[in-house]
Every structure is written in C-alpha cells, then in structure tokens.
Amino acid sequence: MSRRYDSRTTIFSPEGRLYQVEYALEAINHAGTAIGIMAKDGIAIVAERKVTSKLLEQDSSAEKMYILNENTLCGVAGMTADAGILINYIRESSQEYLKIYNKEPPLEHIVKHVCNLKQGYTQYGGLRPFGVSFLFAGYDDRFGFQLYTSNPSGNYSGWKATSIGANNSSAQTILKQEYKDDLDLEDAKKLALKVLSKTTDSTKLTSEKVEFSTVSLASNGHVQLKIWKPEEIDKLLQESGVLEDTEEDK
Amino acid sequence: MDIILGIRLKESTLFATSKAFTRGISVLKATDDKTIDLNTHNMMAYTGESGDTTQFAEHIKANVQLFGLREGYDMESSEIASFVRNQLATSLRSRKPYQVQVLIGGANNEGEGFLSMIDYLGTRCDLPYAAHGYAAFYTMSLLDHHYKDDISLDDGLRLLKLCEEELTKRMPMDFKGLNVKIVDKEGIRTIDF
C-alpha cells in the first residue's frame, strides 16, 4: 500500500508529503559530504570522494567541483550524472546572461534559475527529480562573497558555513561551534578540512578521497576560482595538521 | 527628420528631442515626446518607423522594469544598452525587424553620465555626444568644437542652445522646438529650455 503515493513525483500523500522528493533528499544524505565555509576574504569548499575500487583509474580531474562562470564555482553531493545535466544548464544560461547584459550574472540569479528547473520536476509528472544538492560559492559586486545550497525540492538558502551529503547534521553541529565571523580564508580552509576529517568514515584523508576548491579575490580585484590539484591537496592536508589529529583520536 | 540628440556630461546626461510629430508633409502635433523613462536613472530617446518606435520603447521599458522586480535592483545603463542592442540584433534577424534608432542614457550609482547610441542594425557605440538623423549633420561640428571632458551641466545646456540655434537656422522644416531632459543621480527631469 505504501507504494500508492510513492510512484508519482507530483502526487501528495494523504499526510501532505511528496515521497519522491523526500527519497531524492534521502539519496543525497548517503552521498559523499561536501562542506562550504565563507570567510571575509574568500570561500573554501571541500568534498569527500568515495573511492569505489583500487583498480579505478585515478585521474586528476575533480568529480565534485565545477567552475560555472568567471566568478562562481560549485560543489556537488548526490548523483554526479544528474549534476552534469544541471551544471551544463547553469553554464549555458550563465553565458546567455553574459551575452545579453555584458555582465556576469549575480550569484543568486544563477541559483534561483537552476532551482526553478529543479522545482519543475517536483510538479510536472512522469519524471524523477534531480538527485543533486549543490554548494554554490561565488562573488559579485553587490553582495561580495556568497555561499548557497540548493536541494532537489528546488529550495535554496544562503549560508556562512554549511554542509550537504552524508553526516551533514554532525558537520553542521561542528561548524556551528567552530565558526567565527572574523574567519579568514586560511582559517576557513583548515576548518573545512578539520570538519571533513571528523565527519567522514575514512580513517585518513588523502588527495584520493578529498576534493578542494576556493574562491578568493586576486590583488587586481578579479575573482580567483581554484580547484585544487591532488599534490596541492596533499600539501594542504599536511600543513593543516588534520592528519595528526586523526591519529591522536585513535 | 526627427531630432534626437544626447550629450554626456560630467555628472549627468542631456537629451534633446524635437517636439514635432510628422507624417508625410504634415506636422500632426507640436508637443510630441520621443523619450521614455526606463527606470529611475535611465531613459531612452528613439526615432524610426512610427509604430515600431512606440512598440519597441514600451517593450524595452517593460523588460527593464521586470528585471528590477525580479533581481531586486535596477538595471544599470551599460546593462540596458547591452540588452537593447541584443533585442535589436535579434529583431533584425526576424521576419519583420524593428526599424528603430535609439539613444540610451542615464547616471550610474557614482553619479557619472552614460550615453550610448544604437541603430536598427544593432550597431552600438558609447559616446560623449551623439545624434540620430539629419540633426547630426548640423550639430556634430558644434559639439566637436565645444565639447570638453568633464563638462558641467550649465556648459552642457549652453552648448545645447548653440545646437538648437543652428538647427532652427539650417533645418528646412519647423521642428517645433526641443524637449530637453536631464538624467543625474537625482533622477530624470524635464527642463524648460
């Protein structure tokens, strides 16, 4: 009987719930964690990559970090294939905006735009919702650095620090305790790795399991988007002291 | 034979448009306004195929207003100019293009003037002073000669007066005087000229 209201995305259950949307949200709660922390001079995003097999070719390209336009990048939790569709959509509409107005779109515009698409799949029947949550990090002239999350329901919200994916509630708890308003990017980077190391199941963080990206401003005022390379991540992990901490905990 | 003139000043932008509404050889109205306010700090002066002009101006205004509502802030002059150029370039490649020439001007948040001229082919040029149509032939030499960077409002109005005198003297038709508007950080206002 429980299948009665499950099968269609667009039908409310008698309790007033949309099961398919809730299942999509649940799917993301099992995906690798992604954590974003906004500092006064930048944003750091860190994500856990689940390594499925030793035999799998470990190419250096990031799977969960994508540059969307000149001043925005995002981290992904959920189904990577679904994310690919949405990222393509965002990149395309972002270029369209640039073409029309000769200006990069404001960050919230992008987020709103992709959320409208996601919302559509909770209302129009026959298709499943996108099983993806995003962490959007970017900079625009009006509001400076901004960090947003979005989920399959089509809701989005702005944060100082937040997390999506597995163990997001425990990550959120640590962030709530450790976040300070005067954080700079260096602190944010360390805190992001620290929170990830505490919430992730894997015993030791390595560049194989961690993806990292930052948004900051260059000295000329231009936005600098960086998806970190494995060697750089390893170095960062060494410097952050996260590796020693985990050994002590054992 | 409409007169569409724009002068970018240090802290404002000046617009002058002829008041005569003509069809064929007749003047139908002597109080025509060939400008439209797009938002609080930006306006557009237009000329071209009558009917197309009004339709296009209202289309642009509606979109600029919609942008303000959706994004929570008013479109800037440069964004409007890009948008209008895009609209005209798209229209040019349709079955029936708008035949409209426009000047777009305004003041940005820092209170600096902005002026851009765009024609129906989608050619855009940001300029210190610009004119569409025959008015350009009689006023460009005056503007070339007298215009200076960072020109004040009073000097701008004096220069505009020279242009008006020259136009009245040389133009073969009576254009019924000029409708003059100023855009600065205070907003848009019409002045007695």
Side-chain angles (χ1 to χ4, degrees):
Chain A
M1 279 300 280
S2 70
R3 284 290 159 86
R4 213 161 142 184
Y5 301 98
D6 281 16
S7 52
R8 292 200 199 163
T9 52
T10 57
I11 303 294
F12 279 113
S13 77
E15 301 89 54
R17 294 160 64 172
L18 291 170
Y19 281 118
Q20 284 302 320
V21 178
E22 287 184 28
Y23 296 159
L25 288 163
E26 191 51 36
I28 290 158
N29 287 337
H30 297 296
T33 323
I35 298 160
I37 300 175
M38 184 166 67
K40 58 187 180 205
D41 57 346
I43 305 170
I45 293 185
V46 62
E48 182 200 1
R49 170 159 41 177
K50 297 241 163 111
V51 181
T52 46
S53 163
K54 273 188 178 171
L55 297 174
L56 194 66
E57 196 81 69
Q58 290 296 322
D59 57 355
S60 58
S61 69
E63 282 173 26
K64 308 181 76 179
M65 303 286 178
Y66 297 88
I67 288 175
L68 302 176
N69 62 29
E70 293 273 288
N71 20 354
T72 318
L73 57 76
C74 73
V76 170
M79 303 178 68
T80 322
D82 284 17
I85 301 289
L86 290 173
I87 283 156
N88 195 37
Y89 177 79
I90 298 167
R91 284 177 175 164
E92 218 169 288
S93 58
S94 189
Q95 289 309 118
E96 186 66 22
Y97 187 102
L98 182 63
K99 190 180 133 217
I100 295 174
Y101 301 106
N102 192 219
K103 206 182 147 205
E104 291 290 343
L107 184 48
E108 195 178 346
H109 176 95
I110 299 170
V111 178
K112 214 187 275 177
H113 199 69
V114 71
C115 281
N116 283 342
L117 182 71
K118 284 189 177 189
Q119 191 283 143
Y121 284 79
T122 71
Q123 187 162 190
Y124 299 106
L127 300 162
R128 68 172 172 80
F130 285 100
V132 199
S133 279
F134 284 111
L135 277 177
F136 294 101
Y139 179 91
D140 64 43
D141 295 334
R142 256 169 73 78
F143 294 113
F145 291 107
Q146 292 155 81
L147 177 67
Y148 291 93
T149 63
S150 79
N151 66 29
S153 70
N155 285 318
Y156 70 90
S157 43
W159 298 82
K160 289 173 178 171
T162 189
S163 77
I164 51 176
N167 297 323
N168 69 72
S169 54
S170 55
Q172 209 91 321
T173 314
I174 306 173
L175 284 171
K176 216 181 275 178
Q177 286 163 358
E178 308 249 337
Y179 184 85
K180 289 174 198 73
D181 276 320
D182 60 346
L183 231 55
D184 65 21
L185 186 56
E186 286 305 310
D187 300 331
K189 277 151 71 178
K190 278 179 195 150
L191 179 56
L193 288 174
K194 188 174 156 191
V195 177
L196 186 71
S197 75
K198 281 192 179 172
T199 51
T200 188
D201 303 328
S202 39
T203 46
K204 193 162 166 262
L205 292 181
T206 63
S207 61
E208 271 181 14
K209 290 175 195 149
V210 177
E211 292 189 23
F212 198 83
S213 63
T214 50
V215 183
S216 57
L217 283 187
S219 50
N220 61 6
H222 287 186
V223 181
Q224 226 167 15
L225 305 174
K226 186 176 172 189
I227 295 175
W228 291 52
K229 295 195 175 66
E231 312 84 67
E232 295 171 320
I233 295 173
D234 276 326
K235 198 163 161 244
L236 190 69
L237 284 165
Q238 289 291 334
E239 286 167 3
S240 68
V242 172
L243 301 175
E244 292 108 63
D245 283 355
T246 41
E247 273 147 31
E248 276 169 33
D249 288 345
K250 280 189 243 166
Chain B
M1 284 221 192
D2 295 343
I3 295 164
I4 302 289
L5 243 175
I7 309 175
R8 189 224 298 151
L9 309 174
K10 193 184 177 196
E11 290 171 325
S12 57
T13 306
L14 264 182
F15 279 98
T17 55
S18 54
K19 287 185 192 162
F21 182 89
T22 52
R23 175 188 269 179
I25 55 167
S26 314
V27 173
L28 302 186
K29 192 184 177 190
T31 54
D32 191 33
D33 185 1
K34 297 176 183 68
T35 65
I36 190 166
D37 298 356
L38 301 176
N39 57 28
T40 53
H41 290 84
N42 291 101
M43 58 175 288
M44 182 167 87
Y46 50 87
T47 181
E49 186 80 19
S50 62
D52 277 11
T53 49
T54 322
Q55 186 73 7
F56 184 72
E58 283 173 0
H59 168 71
I60 294 300
K61 177 168 182 163
N63 275 98
V64 170
Q65 295 280 321
L66 180 63
F67 183 99
L69 289 170
R70 274 190 180 154
E71 303 296 326
Y73 67 95
D74 277 345
M75 234 161 141
E76 290 167 24
S77 312
S78 62
E79 290 173 302
I80 295 176
S82 298
F83 173 69
V84 171
R85 199 208 74 81
N86 181 277
Q87 289 292 305
L88 284 168
T90 308
S91 167
L92 182 70
R93 287 149 186 89
S94 74
R95 200 171 57 78
K96 179 140 194 325
Y98 284 114
Q99 286 188 44
V100 182
Q101 275 74 245
V102 301
L103 292 181
I104 287 162
N108 62 16
N109 297 334
E110 284 78 47
E112 292 162 345
F114 176 91
L115 182 69
S116 185
M117 76 184 283
I118 306 170
D119 71 7
Y120 78 102
L121 294 165
T123 320
R124 173 184 165 194
C125 197
D126 295 359
L127 293 163
Y129 44 88
H132 279 301
Y134 294 113
F137 295 117
Y138 302 114
T139 55
M140 276 304 126
S141 52
L142 276 168
L143 288 160
D144 285 338
H145 190 73
H146 294 286
Y147 187 86
K148 300 213 168 44
D149 288 338
D150 297 345
I151 190 170
S152 72
L153 179 57
D154 287 342
D155 289 343
L157 285 168
R158 263 194 287 279
L159 182 48
L160 192 58
K161 203 80 198 171
L162 288 176
C163 291
E164 190 197 28
E165 281 163 13
E166 188 67 11
L167 285 164
T168 319
K169 191 170 163 188
R170 302 286 179 190
M171 286 275 280
M173 63 170 275
D174 179 8
F175 57 85
K176 304 291 178 194
L178 292 177
N179 177 29
V180 178
K181 279 187 162 185
I182 299 171
V183 197
D184 57 17
K185 63 175 189 295
E186 310 298 327
I188 304 169
R189 61 185 184 277
T190 310
I191 56 155
D192 292 328
F193 187 67

